[in-house]
Amino acid sequence: MRFHTIPAVIAATVVAAVRHPGRFFSFLRRAAIPHPPTFTGRGRPCRSSRAPCLLKPIRSGGGLRVRPALPDEPCPRGFYRQVLLRGTPGSAAFVADGTRAALLGVTRQLVGFRALGGEGYRYGGNIAGPCGRLLPRTARRVLAEAVAGITRHFGLRGLNGIDFILSDGVPHILEINPRYTASMELFEELSGSSLFDLHLEALERGRLPRQVLTARRFLAKGILYAAGRVVWPWSGGFRAIDVRDRPLQGETIESGHPVCTLVVSGDSPAECRRRLAAGAARVRRGLAVAGGQTPLSRPGRRRSPAPRQGCRSVLR
């Protein structure tokens, strides 16, 4: 029997370097790649015209523990400070061969989506679709140049993702994820292409796609979070609604933890958001609730904060 050997994806040293806020944002600054002013030293106040800032954990995941920084608040250990930019959150997927990179697609990111139980800066899902309807051409060019520069400097290989905020028409880089990201399954379903095949082509042969993946419609995924302890009562799926990552029948989900993933399609990002909200309401109505409490958040209701530690079963 012949076994196919897959080369190493990215060396641990590369991952450590690109995920280190000090090294990553220092490079972005030197390379003039748009990003929010970022301060990685402990106790350094935000000095960008007294602009509001966020405190972000160095070991980040799904927006957990991201919060506004108080004026003149010292930066806690394990966090860094970043100026808060107003705009539309998004993400992009790309594939790299160590020196070159090719953009695969972009999404609009759902952050703190209350209809799904999200709050603050918690990751709530993505809306993927035709690139031209999600991001202007000039902004896509900025992203393409950014991922190419990051790849050359850090030596990224295979599939990667990057988060950004579109502010005044310019995508500002927020974070990079050197791995298969949560939005990539949407690109696969929209295009009919296997991203793992593109991953192997880049690793083994240094081949990159010549253009972004084709998408003629919008496809969205939303992570439904519990606002109180809930028990999943069903053994199968749902009719007329795509519910994925379902718990086992009778499984208890604690407050603040992901319950399931909803996937919808639509003719626009706005329609996708409406369908996600409707799907969340339908699942909410059918859930068995421990103690007779409302299982999942409803728009407009204030909930207790998610636990500081717990399950992180969703990728961003």
Side-chain angles (χ1 to χ4, degrees):
M1 180 180 294
R2 254 183 107 181
F3 293 93
H4 185 70
T5 302
I6 299 176
V9 182
I10 306 178
T13 53
V14 173
V15 174
V18 79
R19 289 290 296 170
H20 189 284
R23 298 181 186 179
F24 182 64
F25 289 105
S26 292
F27 166 72
L28 296 187
R29 184 172 60 252
R30 294 193 306 271
I33 294 174
H35 66 283
T38 303
F39 310 94
T40 56
R42 289 194 65 199
R44 292 177 60 184
C46 184
R47 297 182 236 177
S48 180
S49 303
R50 299 186 179 273
C53 290
L54 296 176
L55 289 176
K56 295 186 171 184
I58 293 175
R59 295 180 179 270
S60 61
L64 286 171
R65 299 191 296 152
V66 176
R67 64 172 179 84
L70 300 175
D72 301 320
E73 177 184 5
C75 191
R77 182 183 298 275
F79 284 75
Y80 63 97
R81 191 188 302 264
Q82 190 172 75
V83 170
L84 173 64
L85 293 185
R86 304 295 181 182
T88 303
S91 70
F94 67 97
V95 62
D97 67 359
T99 58
R100 301 174 301 141
L103 205 60
L104 298 176
V106 299
T107 78
R108 193 162 294 174
Q109 206 168 76
L110 302 175
V111 178
F113 191 13
R114 287 183 173 272
L116 295 177
E119 61 181 356
Y121 298 93
R122 192 99 186 255
Y123 169 71
N126 300 84
I127 303 175
C131 282
R133 293 181 61 186
L134 288 170
L135 208 60
R137 180 177 298 179
T138 53
R140 297 200 305 273
R141 187 180 302 118
V142 170
L143 271 184
E145 292 173 354
V147 299
I150 293 167
T151 294
R152 284 192 301 271
H153 182 76
F154 290 99
L156 297 178
R157 304 175 70 217
L159 292 171
N160 298 268
I162 201 158
D163 295 339
F164 62 87
I165 187 86
L166 186 66
S167 182
D168 294 327
V170 177
H172 292 73
I173 306 302
L174 300 176
E175 181 179 278
I176 189 162
N177 295 298
R179 54 169 169 79
Y180 187 100
T181 63
S183 63
M184 290 183 182
E185 64 176 312
L186 299 178
F187 296 129
E188 291 191 318
E189 292 191 34
L190 285 170
S191 67
S193 302
S194 167
L195 266 62
F196 192 66
D197 285 346
L198 298 180
H199 176 77
L200 290 180
E201 284 287 305
L203 291 177
E204 296 181 319
R205 300 180 178 87
R207 294 179 182 172
L208 302 180
R210 296 182 178 180
Q211 58 186 15
V212 296
L213 299 175
T214 302
R216 294 183 173 84
R217 61 189 174 98
F218 291 93
L219 189 67
K221 64 182 292 184
I223 311 301
L224 191 60
Y225 291 101
R229 176 180 287 188
V230 297
V231 177
W232 188 262
W234 302 291
S235 59
F238 287 74
R239 181 177 298 177
I241 181 172
D242 190 351
V243 181
R244 305 180 185 179
D245 306 319
R246 297 187 299 271
L248 295 175
Q249 185 178 23
E251 182 176 345
T252 299
I253 300 97
E254 298 295 339
S255 176
H257 287 213
V259 178
C260 61
T261 303
L262 306 177
V263 178
V264 302
S265 61
D267 293 328
S268 67
E271 184 178 2
C272 286
R273 289 178 67 96
R274 288 194 297 270
R275 290 184 173 181
L276 284 174
R282 180 176 173 184
V283 174
R284 183 186 302 120
R285 285 193 297 267
L287 276 170
V289 184
Q293 296 179 354
T294 303
L296 300 173
S297 64
R298 299 183 179 181
R301 291 196 61 177
R302 187 173 182 85
R303 303 170 309 285
S304 58
R308 291 180 63 85
Q309 58 183 6
C311 169
R312 173 156 174 336
S313 63
V314 294
L315 296 174
R316 186 173 183 172

